[in-house]
Amino acid sequence: MSKWDEIKSRLEHLGGSVELLAGGHKLSLMKLHDRKRIFVRVYVDDLVKMEWTEAKDEQPVHSEGRFWRPMKRAAYPKKVYTSAKRALGKKEADRMVTPRVIGFVPDFGTEGAAVAHLKKHFPDLEILEPKEPKA
């Protein structure tokens, strides 16, 4: 079983968690729910700070943001494309409706999405063994 399969299997069930060491930081991945939505949240050094969500030129401002999911949004919805193309031209209309990274969020929709992101950006991460509870 590869380390990627092991991470997925530990996050398979609600409440599942795994601790990793990547890029000099301790990552804690937990499968949580918020009423009807189930997601995987990534804690960096046991913290989630909203200032880490900032992006500049589609890159994270803070180094901790690179462990999170890039959130992409377009400046305008696609339904304004045809009218913008007539008014402003094709090049400007394309720029208006093309999604760009506007921030980074600590939540991934599935464990597979979280593993794919980590696999792409941190192929040399290590899985930390779970601590034994004290009796």
Side-chain angles (χ1 to χ4, degrees):
M1 176 185 279
S2 72
K3 63 183 172 184
W4 308 112
D5 293 333
E6 184 178 345
I7 294 169
K8 279 185 190 178
S9 68
R10 287 192 191 181
L11 294 172
E12 190 174 335
H13 302 289
L14 189 62
S17 67
V18 64
E19 289 189 349
L20 309 169
L21 189 63
H25 294 279
K26 183 182 120 188
L27 305 179
S28 300
L29 281 68
M30 301 179 116
K31 192 157 189 181
L32 306 169
H33 72 92
D34 179 22
R35 296 185 184 169
K36 294 181 181 177
R37 193 171 75 98
I38 297 174
F39 55 93
V40 175
R41 176 158 292 162
V42 178
Y43 294 91
V44 181
D45 297 325
D46 296 327
L47 297 172
V48 171
K49 291 187 178 180
M50 289 294 98
E51 62 198 38
W52 296 343
T53 63
E54 294 178 44
K56 184 176 183 182
D57 298 326
E58 299 192 11
Q59 295 298 320
V61 173
H62 302 279
S63 65
E64 291 85 354
R66 61 197 165 118
F67 300 107
W68 292 355
R69 177 178 63 87
M71 181 174 55
K72 295 182 178 183
R73 294 283 188 271
Y76 295 90
K78 287 196 183 262
K79 67 182 180 181
V80 302
Y81 179 75
T82 54
S83 59
K85 186 176 173 183
R86 270 187 246 121
L88 304 170
K90 183 180 182 333
K91 187 175 182 179
E92 184 64 21
D94 286 343
R95 187 191 63 76
M96 289 171 59
V97 298
T98 302
R100 288 179 281 167
V101 174
I102 59 167
F104 295 86
V105 291
D107 300 337
F108 289 88
T110 64
E111 59 273 4
V115 167
H117 177 79
L118 293 172
K119 191 176 190 178
K120 179 179 177 183
H121 297 285
F122 306 98
D124 57 343
L125 63 77
E126 299 174 28
I127 299 174
L128 298 175
E129 293 305 315
K131 297 175 184 171
E132 294 295 321
K134 294 181 181 177

